Amino acid sequence: MKKIILATIGILATATPAFAGSGNQSTATGTATATIVAPIVLTHPASASLNFGRFTTGTGGSVTVTAAGVGSVGSDVTFVPGSTNSADQFTVAGDASRSFSITTTGGNVTSGATNLAFTTSASASSASLSTTGTASFTVGGTLTVTGTAPAGAYTGSYTATVTYN
């Protein structure tokens, strides 16, 4: 019995205590980054406009101006001599080389109580800013002309929007 007790004491004295090992926890440092880009800014020059030109209505029809500024008429609408058409123009500034999308709405031109509706079409649905962070685009449209629209100067507006992709 004495030998068993001495053997047990010997084993206990040489045994390694069961402490928490180094594999139970580990710590490392992570990194964080952030990039702030220049806001996208759309500008419309005061001298630019979508100009449908000068025309007679006849029984009605349409006037179309392409995004390149070329005008044409449909149905019984006729341009008068000396009429000029132009596409509207916009400039964009923002984060260099970033792509963006372009959307435009339709609108109405009004003279007195008469409204004529038009749709618009941008020269592209998307584009990219240059390496200096600039771009431009044009907008054309189609005006629906009623045969009952009275003579006069018509004005209106529409919205163009650019959004980073």
Side-chain angles (χ1 to χ4, degrees):
M1 174 83 161
K2 191 174 176 184
K3 286 184 181 183
I4 294 176
I5 292 175
L6 286 175
T8 304
I9 291 174
I11 291 172
L12 290 174
T14 60
T16 305
F19 296 117
S22 63
N24 288 340
Q25 181 177 347
S26 179
T27 303
T29 301
T31 59
T33 62
T35 303
I36 298 174
V37 300
I40 192 165
V41 177
L42 181 62
T43 305
H44 182 258
S47 61
S49 71
L50 174 55
N51 184 350
F52 290 105
R54 299 171 60 97
F55 50 87
T56 59
T57 62
T59 59
S62 63
V63 177
T64 299
V65 177
T66 67
V70 177
S72 62
V73 292
S75 297
D76 196 27
V77 175
T78 306
F79 285 128
V80 298
S83 177
T84 59
N85 309 102
S86 63
D88 208 352
Q89 301 173 358
F90 291 88
T91 57
V92 183
D95 194 38
S97 303
R98 183 172 293 275
S99 67
F100 61 94
S101 60
I102 304 165
T103 58
T104 60
T105 64
N108 291 295
V109 289
T110 304
S111 179
T114 304
N115 292 310
L116 302 176
F118 65 91
T119 60
T120 60
S121 178
S123 55
S125 61
S126 64
S128 291
L129 294 163
S130 69
T131 56
T132 60
T134 62
S136 63
F137 65 93
T138 58
V139 175
T142 299
L143 176 68
T144 302
V145 181
T146 62
T148 59
Y154 289 72
T155 59
S157 62
Y158 66 97
T159 302
T161 304
V162 291
T163 307
Y164 280 140
N165 290 335

